[in-house]
Amino acid sequence: MRRLKFIQTVIRAHAARDGARFGEAARLYREALAVEPRRNGVRVQMANMLKDSGQHAEAERAYLDALQSAPREADIHLQLARLRLATGRRALALEGFRRAIDLDPNSPDAVRELAAAGDVSAMAPKGGAGEGVLKFEELYFIRARLEALGDELSKIRRHLPETLASAAFPVGGYREMRALFDVPPPVELEPGGSRPTVAVFIDAGLARDLGALHRQITSVVSQSYANWRLAIAGHGSEQRALVERFASGDPRVCWVDPADGDPEPERRMASEVGADWILLTEPNTTFHPQMLAWIAAVAGRLPCQAVVFDAEREGAGGTLELQARRMFDRHSLREANVWGNTFAIEADQFSRLEGASEVGTLSERRRRLLEALPSEAIVAHIPLPLSRCWQIEEDRHAGAPSEFAPASPVGHSDVPICVLIPTRDNLGDVSAFVESLIQLARRPDRLSVLLANNGDGAYGALLRERFAGLSSVRIEDAPGPFNWSGLCNRMATGTDAPLLVFANDDMRMLSADWDELVRGLLAEPEVGAVGARLLYEDHTVQHAGILFDWNGSTIHDGLHQPADAEGPAARWSTTHEVSAVTGAFLATRRSAFEAVGGFDAGRLAISYSDVDFALRLRARGMRIVWSPRITAIHHESKTRGLDHLDAAKAARDAEERRTLLTIWPGALDFEPTLNPFWRQTILPHRLLYWPSTERVWEYLQATTKANPWLVAQGSQSVQ
């Protein structure tokens, strides 16, 4: 009889589980355990249902009880780690995923979870779990394997690049990748077209030695593209003799005697050497034989006034690093020149610019030169390593992010800001957040906070009591089902402040003068919205902007990276334009908010309304900017809970994503900031692969525009 009761209860529990009645299923599994307490599998099922019904503390106790009976059961460690990760305890979660892999090396779920949580080691090939899970990463070792294959080597190489089309390499394995791939000649978009003359300028006085200068000149003379001129300026007789030896065999090479005290020899050389384009160089750098061919192809085919490109940096210890840059961005340029000191510029543009001052380092002068380009000038970025620099001590930090210069124009520091925060049953967090906003604001007298109480009357009373002494804080009751978009729209009508900041209640501001940074960025008329760097409690990155076209969806950039990580091309340490920013902290002008009709409360209540809002702004020609200068801790979804732990919320999230794709067909299919060298795996910017020539041209065509961020407005996007 006891056995029959157990079976019947378990059957009912399974039915409740399959019907997504998680709380009922947990209760029934508990009843079954009361009959037969040794059934550990039922205990794990109960823990799963407790987790899915939001009873996280009870679920954790159940998992731990199950581990007491079966400490070597990998799946229990996996489920417990998932719970801990979802509730913000990442360090414990990583330990659990690793323990699950130790116990079951053939567990693909544990490997994927560990990699998704930010452990890069899980993405490297290894015995067991690494095999069959992320198989393309095993190609990192293909060079050694090919050499071991002996007679099969030529056969396999004949099948390249087909064999290696999906090859992916860890960032530290770039030298191995480079041994297998090379920069191809540019396949032009269409036959014919112009073949511009490119003048290359070298300042021999900056060369480390004659050997470095010789290598640099040789790399120009060896170019596959023939329509070039090379002008070299210097003072030394040995340098001149070296250049004249090259000039005797190639009339395109010439020596230029710089005038005494000439602060800008490049500008004078540009007036003396007739050319359509000018290539400015840096010392200790050589150029790929296809460099000028690519520059000429891009300059002749695309509407641009300057061309930047990727580079390689070789260290003294034999290391080789790819500098995978990104689409040109003036917001980043204010803080750092991450596009290097070697780039090409139209000769007419160069003759008009006055940015190449004699003051400052070469890197700073080149940054100012790029900055001096007219606002309408288009800078193309070729995502291929067209130059290689030998790193020496004095240039090690060249191009590193410089001290941030606030963007706030004079006279804008008194613009009122209202922070709009929906809140429900989270008094401790919202209190700490409001306090941090006020304490760290430069102008707290021009700051107001509006809280929308989505809880009950008792919570509203607690809020009013807590903030009774702060006249800048108002509370409005907003009962009903949680609708983030609707609550934000409602709050926006409750203030006349010209600047609005929408924020979650589970935050804590870390940046001093954050309000001044918001004012400064939103003072630029082309900026429609501003986002912040959000960190987990362990000070790893949760949000550094939203990346589109990541495995067919969106993902937070910088996810799980250390807070002090600069990122590729300083993308996590400099202000730059992004596809979208999270609504957990989203600042905008009231005028822009009203122009696009606010958030879509009808169709996108929670999950994708911030992305839709960014697309609405971009459809009107505005830009979305993310800045690490505004940083906050975000206790992710602490109030509302995590969608993937609730089947109903997960279903709603999936439906809202389908709705977004219907409203904006194709808009999520391209990410302008994503260099084609980055492989789309579990987390961004972890693995490299060599892009095809077609992929490079697709990127160039999509980014070499006056406004690459402009999107086609969806037929139903504006209400």
Side-chain angles (χ1 to χ4, degrees), residues 417-428:
I417 296 177
C418 185
V419 184
L420 311 171
I421 308 173
T423 183
R424 180 172 184 165
D425 302 330
N426 195 24
L427 183 64

Side-chain angles (χ1 to χ4, degrees), residues 2-223:
R2 184 182 182 88
R3 172 71 173 166
L4 179 61
K5 181 180 179 181
F6 171 79
I7 293 174
Q8 290 174 337
T9 305
V10 169
I11 291 173
R12 290 166 57 206
H14 287 347
R17 177 199 62 194
D18 296 342
R21 303 188 304 278
F22 303 126
E24 178 185 348
R27 177 180 58 78
L28 289 169
Y29 284 127
R30 193 185 301 277
E31 290 180 7
L33 281 172
V35 177
E36 294 197 14
R38 294 181 179 274
R39 297 283 187 147
N40 214 39
V42 174
R43 193 179 310 281
V44 173
Q45 287 289 342
M46 180 185 72
N48 292 341
M49 295 302 97
L50 289 168
K51 177 184 67 175
D52 290 347
S53 62
Q55 303 175 69
H56 299 153
E58 294 86 345
E60 182 161 359
R61 284 195 293 271
Y63 284 131
L64 292 172
D65 288 344
L67 284 174
Q68 288 290 328
S69 301
R72 298 188 60 78
E73 183 65 44
D75 186 65
I76 304 176
H77 287 281
L78 172 63
Q79 298 299 339
L80 177 58
R82 284 172 169 167
L83 172 65
R84 286 172 166 170
L85 182 64
T87 52
R89 292 168 293 166
R90 180 169 169 267
L92 284 174
L94 293 177
E95 290 180 11
F97 291 135
R98 295 187 190 107
R99 179 59 174 155
I101 293 171
D102 288 342
L103 293 170
D104 182 7
N106 295 311
S107 170
D109 288 342
V111 172
R112 291 185 185 279
E113 294 279 6
L114 184 60
D119 188 330
V120 181
S121 66
M123 302 171 74
K126 61 185 74 175
E131 302 292 338
V133 179
L134 297 172
K135 286 189 175 179
F136 51 82
E137 278 86 358
E138 73 180 17
L139 292 166
Y140 170 36
F141 300 98
I142 198 167
R143 184 184 181 191
R145 294 179 181 180
L146 286 175
E147 292 173 352
L149 287 173
D151 293 340
E152 295 296 319
L153 180 59
S154 59
K155 182 189 300 184
I156 292 176
R157 282 180 171 165
R158 280 200 302 271
H159 291 287
L160 299 175
E162 290 82 1
T163 303
L164 302 177
S166 62
F169 298 78
V171 173
Y174 177 69
R175 181 175 286 280
E176 282 72 18
M177 182 172 76
R178 191 66 177 82
L180 294 169
F181 296 95
D182 197 5
V183 174
V187 177
E188 296 184 348
L189 295 175
E190 57 188 32
S194 63
R195 295 180 63 79
T197 302
V198 183
V200 182
F201 292 159
I202 294 177
D203 186 346
L206 298 176
R208 179 172 53 183
D209 51 42
L210 282 179
L213 180 59
H214 189 283
R215 287 194 298 270
Q216 194 168 38
I217 298 172
T218 300
S219 69
V220 176
V221 175
S222 303
Q223 290 293 304

Side-chain angles (χ1 to χ4, degrees), residues 324-339:
R325 290 157 177 158
R326 49 189 164 93
M327 183 178 70
F328 187 73
D329 187 305
R330 291 181 181 275
H331 284 93
S332 287
L333 187 64
R334 297 171 187 171
E335 302 171 25
N337 175 17
V338 299
W339 293 276

Side-chain angles (χ1 to χ4, degrees), residues 391-567:
Q391 182 171 310
I392 56 177
E393 188 65 30
E394 55 263 35
D395 74 353
R396 184 164 298 163
H397 300 291
S402 57
E403 189 67 24
F404 177 64
S408 303
V410 176
H412 286 268
S413 62
D414 61 345
V415 177
I417 296 177
C418 185
V419 184
L420 311 171
I421 308 173
T423 183
R424 180 172 184 165
D425 302 330
N426 195 24
L427 183 64
D429 281 341
V430 76
S431 299
F433 184 33
V434 172
E435 287 176 358
S436 68
L437 288 171
I438 295 172
Q439 290 173 359
L440 293 173
R442 179 180 292 188
R443 293 293 304 274
D445 58 314
R446 306 301 291 166
L447 177 67
S448 61
V449 178
L450 177 57
L451 303 175
N453 168 32
N454 190 233
D456 56 21
Y459 182 57
L462 289 174
L463 288 172
R464 290 178 173 86
E465 180 182 356
R466 171 63 184 80
F467 295 109
L470 291 175
S471 59
S472 59
V473 180
R474 291 189 295 119
I475 294 96
E476 290 186 358
D477 292 323
F482 182 77
N483 182 320
W484 182 85
S485 300
L487 288 169
C488 288
N489 289 344
R490 173 175 174 172
M491 287 187 293
T493 64
T495 176
D496 59 0
L499 300 184
L500 308 174
V501 176
F502 300 95
N504 286 7
D505 67 350
D506 52 350
M507 310 260 284
R508 187 174 79 256
M509 178 56 67
L510 300 180
S511 297
D513 299 338
W514 66 268
D515 55 328
E516 196 71 356
L517 291 162
V518 166
R519 290 187 184 95
L521 290 169
L522 289 177
E524 302 175 34
E526 72 276 11
V527 175
V530 173
R533 177 174 59 176
L534 304 183
L535 305 178
Y536 290 108
E537 290 180 88
D538 63 358
H539 281 253
T540 58
V541 175
Q542 178 198 117
H543 174 77
I546 293 176
L547 288 175
F548 285 7
D549 190 32
W550 191 262
N551 290 324
S553 186
T554 62
I555 192 172
H556 290 305
D557 195 6
L559 195 60
H560 300 308
Q561 293 285 354
D564 59 356
E566 290 187 359

Side-chain angles (χ1 to χ4, degrees), residues 171 174-175 177-178 282 284-286 308-315 320-327 337-342 363 381-391 395-400 566-570 675-678 685 688 690 699:
V171 173
Y174 177 69
R175 181 175 286 280
M177 182 172 76
R178 191 66 177 82
E282 60 185 320
N284 310 312
T285 300
T286 56
V308 297
F309 41 83
D310 293 350
E312 296 169 334
R313 183 172 291 269
E314 186 158 358
L320 188 63
E321 169 194 349
L322 172 66
Q323 295 180 314
R325 290 157 177 158
R326 49 189 164 93
M327 183 178 70
N337 175 17
V338 299
W339 293 276
N341 301 322
T342 299
S363 181
H381 165 232
I382 302 174
L384 289 169
L386 300 183
S387 67
R388 179 179 293 191
C389 180
W390 281 268
Q391 182 171 310
D395 74 353
R396 184 164 298 163
H397 300 291
E566 290 187 359
N675 188 305
F677 266 93
W678 293 111
H685 302 108
L688 297 166
W690 199 275
Y699 171 88

